[in-house]
Amino acid sequence: MLRKLPQVLVPTCTRAGGALSAAPTPGQQAIFDKEFKFGAHNYGPLPVALAKGKGVKVWDTDGKQYFDFLAAYSAVNQGHCHPRIVETLKEQSETLTLTSRAFYNNVLGEYEEFMTELFGFDKLLPMNTGIEACETAVKLARKWGYMVKGIPDNQAKVLFAEENFWGRSIAACSSSSDPTCYTGFGPFTPGFELVPYNNLAVLEEKLADPNVCAYMVEPIQGEAGVIIPDDGYLQGVRALCDKHNVLWIADEVQSGLGRTGKRSACEWEEVKPDIITLGKALGGGVFPVSAVLTSDEVMLCIKPGEHGSTFGGNPLGCKIAMTAMDVLENEGLYENAQKMGEILLGELRKLPKDVVDVVRGRGLFCGVEIKETESFNAWEVCLKLRDAGLLAKPTHGHIIRFTPPIVIDETEMNQCTEIICSTISSFH
């Protein structure tokens, strides 16, 4: 007999800051209703239905303009519908899109050479989504552990930082410390252990276990609320992994590719991981592309037939990724992210302390903690920001990430900080 499932409400209007936020128009409500009726209820979107995007701006189905301060969780760092990226998509989509890896194609090798030279690794394994890249990294690390480190069969362990987030597959759930992610989805993948983030002493204790093959960590934790470790933490991770012959996997799916003002967030401490995972902005906001980069010693542990992806390495994705990277590298976007981030963080730090508890960020990877009271919370703040023309989304209930496309210019940033500061101050 089927259990009755908990009811999920279709979004209408919500009280925010003592007043009702704007109710959706009939056209937008119809879109919400259709998704609710025919789609899975695994997301709780902010109630706005978007129909167009360009640069840092998006428009809803009624033509209202918004500044996008989520940037699809950093998948559109280059801005919505960047003309060069869209043109590459058009050109390659009319030539050859997919061959599978059963055959060679004339683009994959070019892409692999381009990326390995840019990031300074020997080999690249192409995938499609961030979670696939991270799953691949774990698989590589385990195989290296058995073939190179000499870990007994089926005894390899991978360490993960608490509060990590790299997706919602069974393996990702198995490594999570978030009950929302893992509750109801067991039994879990064995061989995964958690360590506190930003704690080198505990990490070293765990790394001393000879069966540990890898430590996977985000240089800056995104879903946890833009958590930045102490200066020197990444250098410490590098040194400890070297000391104990353990692979360091840097999950840069969200923190990499310009979000913090560098090609990778690890560059802030001038360290290089053994394996790096990339995704999101690698596809320029138009196509899912991800990658795992590492050394020959690690990558060549995988043999034909042991790992693969039908779409991974497809010529369309490869061409898009090369253009997406070229835009980041040659349009001044790393420098822009740093400059605009300084402006944004400077204004966020002026917000009233009885509304905003904490402000943190690096480049345009920024977050604020909203003090929850009986009269308001982070969700209601985001509704009022939406009404004022800026889109952002809470994480973990009380944290709002501000992560606009890194193409944002100073005029746009000044407009946005005015919206953010006036809206949040209205709860004061």
Side-chain angles (χ1 to χ4, degrees), residues 67-86:
F67 289 103
D68 178 3
F69 260 54
L70 186 63
Y73 302 103
S74 297
V76 287
N77 286 357
Q78 301 91 338
H80 290 275
C81 300
H82 189 288
R84 288 184 55 210
I85 298 172
V86 170

Side-chain angles (χ1 to χ4, degrees), residues 136-147:
T136 299
V138 170
K139 198 170 173 181
L140 281 166
R142 280 182 164 180
K143 195 68 182 294
W144 173 89
Y146 299 129
M147 292 184 64

Side-chain angles (χ1 to χ4, degrees), residues 293-412:
L293 292 118
T294 188
S295 63
D296 283 334
E297 178 184 285
V298 175
M299 192 70 82
L300 296 180
C301 290
I302 292 282
K303 308 301 181 187
E306 295 179 345
H307 193 68
S309 165
T310 299
F311 276 82
N314 69 82
L316 179 57
C318 293
K319 279 287 190 181
I320 288 169
M322 285 189 284
T323 300
M325 287 304 308
D326 189 66
V327 168
L328 292 170
E329 295 287 322
N330 295 309
E331 294 190 8
L333 297 190
Y334 301 151
E335 297 81 2
N336 191 63
Q338 291 189 43
K339 181 181 177 183
M340 294 303 104
E342 290 173 2
I343 295 173
L344 176 58
L345 285 167
E347 294 301 313
L348 293 177
R349 290 182 177 120
K350 298 176 184 177
L351 290 168
K353 302 302 181 186
D354 60 338
V355 182
V356 173
D357 275 338
V358 178
V359 174
R360 51 183 174 258
R362 179 163 287 162
L364 282 173
F365 205 7
C366 306
V368 300
E369 292 191 13
I370 300 296
K371 183 177 290 185
E372 295 196 56
T373 70
E374 291 183 0
S375 59
F376 64 85
N377 57 33
W379 177 260
E380 290 165 342
V381 171
C382 286
L383 289 174
K384 285 200 76 173
L385 286 169
R386 175 206 61 181
D387 294 346
L390 186 143
L391 300 180
K393 188 90 177 349
T395 180
H396 287 272
H398 67 292
I399 301 168
I400 302 174
R401 275 176 292 190
F402 291 122
T403 56
I406 63 175
V407 295
I408 191 169
D409 64 31
E410 190 165 351
T411 298
E412 293 167 328

Side-chain angles (χ1 to χ4, degrees), residues 119 121 197 217-220 229 232-235 237-238 248-253 255-258 260-278 362:
F119 283 86
F121 288 91
Y197 186 65
V217 63
E218 301 156 87
I220 296 175
Y233 175 69
L234 299 180
Q235 291 179 347
V237 169
R238 177 69 279 166
W248 170 25
I249 304 169
D251 174 7
E252 293 257 24
V253 170
S255 63
L257 306 185
T260 69
K262 299 279 189 181
R263 184 182 295 139
S264 75
C266 290
E267 292 181 13
W268 284 101
E269 293 199 22
E270 299 181 341
V271 287
K272 181 181 175 182
D274 298 293
I275 303 174
I276 188 170
T277 61
L278 303 172
R362 179 163 287 162

